[in-house]
Amino acid sequence: MNKFLKVLGYIFIILMAAITLFPFIYMISSSLMSFQEVTSIPPKFLPKTVQFTNYKDALKVAPFGRYFLNTIFVTLINTLGTLITTTLAAFALNFLKFKHKKAIENILLALLMIPFEIIVFTNFRTIAKLSLLDTYLALILPFMASVFYIIYLRQFLRSIPMDYYNAAKVDGASDFEFISRVMIPLSKSTLFTIGLLNFITGWNSFLWPLLVTNSKNMRMISNGLSAFATEAGSYIHLQMAASTITILPILVLYFIFRKQILKGVSYGGIKG
């Protein structure tokens, strides 16, 4: 009976993996098909002749070079800013003692319950009143901090004994010295995971850039795909090629740093 359940479990996992991977595999396959093949009925799953020129043609339809530069610039700045604010806020919540600390923690936890879509138009009005629409600042400022990552890092910092901080203060170290010499080295895997996940989120951002940008020169890569669909009309094979180009950097990052990601998301205890 146990063996049967184990086999059944493996079958279920394989089935779920196939369902999850199929859209991605079909996207790559479609990007290598001709227009006739990708629109044929019944649909074809493999190209008769591989069409690598689809990628070259897709890059000509829309200024993806500009979209890539915008996305990389904005995402890197947002990731750096998030790492700085997350590190400082998590340090304060975990190691410092100050008035109303518990109330602040409860407020931060409550903010996690509020979906981004609820406050997006409030943020939009703020950016509009500051006359920042269609600028890089509009894409960067609202995402320089993350409540989720602050709580995430704070949970990891709880595994660091308070004696480390007390010993550093006895030795005359400032708070910033403790952060740079003790806290960051101990939590580098978690910080790396935060940075990578934040980068991926920024890379896939669609709604906010769509609201605060108007010109093509300010579009992000995800908005570029939306514009591409309009400009390219019904050339589905080119749309699939553009989608593959867009997701490729994220896949490369994942396969290079997958061990660090798994290490960062699994909290490990630190012996005191």
Side-chain angles (χ1 to χ4, degrees):
M1 186 65 180
N2 291 335
K3 187 176 181 180
F4 173 77
L5 292 176
K6 188 175 182 180
V7 172
L8 192 63
Y10 282 128
I11 293 175
F12 177 78
I13 292 173
I14 293 172
L15 181 62
M16 291 299 102
I19 293 174
T20 303
L21 291 174
F22 176 77
F24 174 71
I25 295 173
Y26 184 70
M27 177 187 70
I28 297 177
S29 179
S30 298
S31 71
L32 298 172
M33 294 182 185
S34 64
F35 175 75
Q36 290 75 18
E37 288 177 321
V38 79
T39 56
S40 65
I41 298 176
K44 294 183 178 180
F45 298 102
L46 293 174
K48 186 176 180 180
T49 303
V50 176
Q51 305 287 334
F52 287 110
T53 55
N54 289 347
Y55 293 95
K56 183 178 179 180
D57 295 338
L59 292 175
K60 292 180 180 179
V61 173
F64 275 94
R66 178 73 184 197
Y67 299 158
F68 268 105
L69 289 176
N70 287 344
T71 307
I72 291 173
F73 173 74
V74 171
T75 306
L76 285 177
I77 297 298
N78 282 340
T79 300
L80 180 61
T82 299
L83 285 173
I84 293 173
T85 56
T86 297
T87 301
L88 295 177
F91 162 79
L93 290 175
N94 192 70
F95 292 104
L96 299 184
K97 295 180 179 180
F98 51 90
K99 194 174 182 180
H100 305 307
K101 177 180 175 179
K102 192 65 178 178
I104 293 175
E105 290 179 356
N106 292 333
I107 292 173
L108 290 176
L109 289 172
L111 290 175
L112 288 176
M113 304 297 106
I114 302 177
F116 172 74
E117 289 76 12
I118 291 180
I119 61 173
V120 66
F121 291 106
T122 302
N123 290 342
F124 173 79
R125 286 177 59 85
T126 302
I127 292 296
K129 287 183 178 180
L130 294 175
S131 301
L132 295 177
L133 293 178
D134 211 29
T135 66
Y136 285 118
L137 286 176
L139 296 168
I140 293 172
L141 286 179
F143 303 98
M144 293 292 283
S146 170
V147 174
F148 173 77
Y149 291 134
I150 291 173
I151 301 300
Y152 179 78
L153 180 59
R154 194 278 171 92
Q155 289 301 110
F156 172 81
L157 293 181
R158 285 183 171 179
S159 65
I160 300 178
M162 194 67 182
D163 293 341
Y164 285 24
Y165 178 70
N166 294 332
K169 299 303 290 184
V170 169
D171 290 340
S174 64
D175 288 339
F176 286 104
E177 288 176 330
F178 172 79
I179 292 173
S180 61
R181 296 182 182 181
V182 180
M183 194 185 91
I184 291 179
L186 289 174
S187 56
K188 59 183 179 181
S189 294
T190 303
L191 288 172
F192 182 88
T193 302
I194 290 173
L196 191 57
L197 293 178
N198 189 82
F199 185 89
I200 293 173
T201 301
W203 188 273
N204 295 326
S205 179
F206 177 80
L207 178 59
W208 181 252
L210 188 65
L211 287 173
V212 298
T213 61
N214 299 313
S215 63
K216 289 184 179 180
N217 289 335
M218 297 304 301
R219 283 176 179 165
M220 303 280 277
I221 191 68
S222 56
N223 305 129
L225 285 177
S226 177
F228 178 90
T230 302
E231 295 163 8
S234 59
Y235 294 122
I236 302 175
H237 60 308
L238 298 186
Q239 296 175 22
M240 293 298 102
S243 299
T244 303
I245 293 172
T246 301
I247 202 173
L248 186 61
I250 300 301
L251 288 177
V252 172
L253 284 176
Y254 171 75
F255 283 113
I256 292 176
F257 300 113
R258 63 185 184 279
K259 291 183 179 179
Q260 288 85 345
I261 295 176
L262 293 175
K263 184 178 179 181
V265 298
S266 58
Y267 294 116
I270 298 178
K271 295 181 179 180

